[in-house]
Amino acid sequence: TLSEPFNSSREECGIRLSPLRSNLLEWHFSFTGMEGSPYEGGIYHGKVRLHHEYPRKAPSISLSTPSGRWETDKEICLSASSYHQE
């Protein structure tokens, strides 16, 4: 499942990604905090929501787990996300 620990060494960051069965435009992901970082031991969950016009429109990306870096369940500002439509 997405909530079980996995690959957290500096050599290999653990990432899992899976679409919702009921909606292929919504993908859930989780990744582990890398050892030696303030995030070590944590498992962080998020969502990628693909626009119905994807790839012509950028996806929306958000994190659901508090990390101290981003607000939870708020769209993340990335150059390749829908936060910036240009």
Side-chain angles (χ1 to χ4, degrees), residues 13-44:
C13 181
I15 300 172
R16 294 186 178 160
L17 178 70
S18 179
L20 289 182
R21 289 184 181 169
S22 61
N23 181 2
L24 293 178
L25 295 177
E26 184 171 324
W27 289 63
H28 288 237
F29 64 87
S30 63
F31 58 93
T32 55
M34 292 180 39
E35 63 186 30
S37 77
Y39 308 103
E40 181 175 1
I43 300 174
Y44 302 92

Side-chain angles (χ1 to χ4, degrees), residues 1-72:
T1 68
L2 293 176
S3 61
E4 294 176 11
F6 52 95
N7 304 334
S8 61
S9 71
R10 288 197 178 275
E11 292 77 34
E12 184 176 338
C13 181
I15 300 172
R16 294 186 178 160
L17 178 70
S18 179
L20 289 182
R21 289 184 181 169
S22 61
N23 181 2
L24 293 178
L25 295 177
E26 184 171 324
W27 289 63
H28 288 237
F29 64 87
S30 63
F31 58 93
T32 55
M34 292 180 39
E35 63 186 30
S37 77
Y39 308 103
E40 181 175 1
I43 300 174
Y44 302 92
H45 301 275
K47 298 175 192 167
V48 176
R49 291 182 191 94
L50 302 174
H51 192 277
H52 69 277
E53 292 183 42
Y54 181 81
R56 294 177 202 261
K57 301 267 185 169
S60 166
I61 302 168
S62 63
L63 274 175
S64 302
T65 307
S67 68
R69 176 72 173 97
W70 291 287
E71 293 182 55
T72 57

